[in-house]
Each structure stands twice: as structure tokens, then as C-alpha cells.
């Protein structure tokens, strides 16, 4: 299971969201669970809730995704960097042929986008 946290999911995790906490626990404790934090989303989460990036980056079950050249080119074409980097990170790769799910507390943001969404409000 590959899951990308968008900035809203990261902020929710910092505020004690139960579903976000469960994802973090599973990524740390269970084989086959992978949780990703795109750097642009980390920046936006830090603006919304200071300290969130440092906290999430320190957790062993979360892989921070750098803004490499292909990601930067994808982000440059979009209006918001956090959502663009999250969407880019969720696209299929050789390691993730089916792509990843985007975890969010703002599922409407993803309407019409080519990603699967996990609503953390449920």
C-alpha cells in the first residue's frame, strides 16, 4: 500500500487525526505499507501548522520525497505547489506501477484529478 500525504493530511496528523495516526503507525510497523511526504506539501503544512514538517520528517515510517527535476517541472505547470507535488508523487513509477493513493482532509480538491483519494475525515 503506497500512500502520499498531501499538506492537509500532514496538518491533520499534527493535530491528532486518528486516521492519519493509523497510517503513520502502519507505515512504521507493517511490511508493505509505505507513506510519502512530498517536500512542497511539507512546506505548506509547516505554514499552516509550524513544527509539522520537522515532526513528520523525524518519523521512521515516512519517506520524504525531494523536489527533483521531473517533480519541479510538473510543479511548475500547476497553481499550487503542495497539491502539484502530491499529485506528481502519486503517479505510477517502476517501484509503484499502480501509483499511490493521496491521503487528504480536503477530498474536493482532488475532484477531476487523476488520483485515488483517501478521505481522512471519515
Amino acid at each position: 500500500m503506497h500512500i502520499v500525504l498531501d499538506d492537509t493530511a500532514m496538518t491533520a496528523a499534527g493535530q491528532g487525526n486518528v486516521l492519519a495516526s493509523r497510517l503513520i503507525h502502519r507505515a512504521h510497523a507493517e511490511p508493505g505499507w509505505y507513506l510519502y511526504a512530498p517536500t512542497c506539501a511539507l512546506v505548506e503544512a509547516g505554514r499552516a501548522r509550524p513544527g509539522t514538517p520537522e515532526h513528520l520528517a523525524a518519523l521512521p515510517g515516512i519517506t520524504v520525497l525531494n523536489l527533483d527535476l521531473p517533480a519541479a517541472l510538473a510543479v511548475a505547470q500547476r497553481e499550487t505547489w503542495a497539491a502539484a507535488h502530491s499529485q506528481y508523487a502519486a503517479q505510477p513509477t517502476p517501484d509503484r506501477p499502480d501509483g499511490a493513493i493521496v491521503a487528504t482532509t480536503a477530498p474536493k480538491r482532488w475532484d477531476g484529478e487523476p488520483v485515488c483519494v483517501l478521505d481522512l475525515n471519515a
Side-chain angles (χ1 to χ4, degrees):
M1 179 71 60
H2 297 274
I3 300 172
V4 173
L5 297 172
D6 76 357
D7 57 304
T8 67
M10 293 179 195
T11 303
Q15 295 172 328
N17 179 288
V18 174
L19 294 176
S21 295
R22 286 182 185 164
L23 288 176
I24 292 167
H25 172 75
R26 284 191 169 190
H28 174 67
E30 294 184 30
W33 281 78
Y34 303 95
L35 205 53
Y36 305 97
T39 54
C40 291
L42 273 173
V43 169
E44 195 61 34
R47 289 179 179 156
R49 190 171 198 289
T52 299
E54 295 84 356
H55 175 72
L56 289 175
L59 296 173
I62 296 179
T63 301
V64 176
L65 300 176
N66 293 325
L67 187 63
D68 59 9
L69 180 58
L73 295 174
V75 166
Q77 298 176 14
R78 301 291 305 264
E79 197 169 309
T80 63
W81 287 29
H85 198 188
S86 297
Q87 181 179 349
Y88 175 80
Q91 298 309 305
T93 67
D95 293 341
R96 299 184 307 273
D98 294 326
I101 297 167
V102 175
T104 186
T105 60
K108 295 277 186 209
R109 165 197 278 182
W110 299 102
D111 285 351
E113 298 294 338
V115 294
C116 294
V117 172
L118 174 62
D119 185 353
L120 298 180
N121 293 311

